[in-house]
Amino acid sequence: MTFTPTAGGHLVQADYVVLSPSQISAIVPPHLSQNTYDVQVTTPGGQSPVAPEAVFTV
């Protein structure tokens, strides 16, 4: 799972917890600055797309 600033910048790797086969919970890295981020998940099947529903503010 990665957090990438929507205004551009370097992605930050994040840990996560699997809640069910279709649900995970992100653990926001403590050093992540206050900003808006595109959140993407990578699985063996590929990476989730950048989409409005995957933008979060920290």
Side-chain angles (χ1 to χ4, degrees):
M1 174 173 285
T2 59
F3 287 74
T4 306
T6 56
H10 297 286
L11 65 85
V12 176
Q13 294 287 338
D15 291 327
Y16 59 91
V17 176
V18 176
L19 302 175
S20 73
S22 62
Q23 202 173 28
I24 61 175
S25 179
I27 300 170
V28 177
H31 64 281
L32 204 63
S33 61
Q34 188 174 10
N35 206 338
T36 302
Y37 294 89
D38 290 313
V39 177
Q40 290 184 280
V41 177
T42 302
T43 70
Q47 188 172 45
S48 63
V50 173
E53 58 273 4
V55 174
F56 295 91
T57 300
V58 175

